[in-house]
Amino acid sequence: MDRPLWTALPADVRRTVDEHLAVRRHVHAMKAIRDASPEPVPGIRACNDLIADRMTELGLPLYGPTSSASPVAGPPAATPAADLRAADLPPDPSATGATSRTTP
């Protein structure tokens, strides 16, 4: 890979980034890139583009299940709100009479 951002990283950081990507820890990889980059620190978009290119070079799927036994189907679908159960939601503070504001 010949991206300037990638080649500016020390070898041990590039190895760490690859290890994070292998287990789909994209945020950890992004932090490692930003922490080890010379000033000016690259933005989120630049890091994300680098991660996508690196995953492609390593033959890792960008989306889909983490198991190599399952086919990659694309980005995960959003869960419709109707599928949520009331038990899955945090308690409503207004139901107990508690409020977040204090009135004088």
Side-chain angles (χ1 to χ4, degrees):
M1 175 177 265
D2 60 352
R3 280 178 162 260
L5 178 55
W6 182 252
T7 57
L9 296 173
D12 61 321
V13 174
R14 288 184 292 204
R15 190 172 26 262
T16 298
V17 169
D18 286 349
E19 289 169 0
H20 287 313
L21 295 179
V23 292
R24 305 187 60 79
R25 292 186 175 149
H26 299 178
V27 174
H28 295 291
M30 191 174 298
K31 181 171 180 359
I33 292 167
R34 289 175 53 94
D35 287 349
S37 292
E39 293 290 332
V41 175
I44 303 293
R45 183 179 300 241
C47 289
N48 206 31
D49 291 346
L50 176 63
I51 286 170
D53 289 349
R54 189 65 188 152
M55 289 185 70
T56 299
E57 187 168 298
L58 294 172
L60 299 170
L62 295 175
Y63 302 106
T66 57
S67 168
S68 60
S70 302
V72 176
T79 303
D83 289 347
L84 296 175
R85 298 178 309 148
D88 296 333
L89 301 175
D92 182 3
S94 64
T96 61
T99 60
S100 60
R101 295 186 187 176
T102 338
T103 55

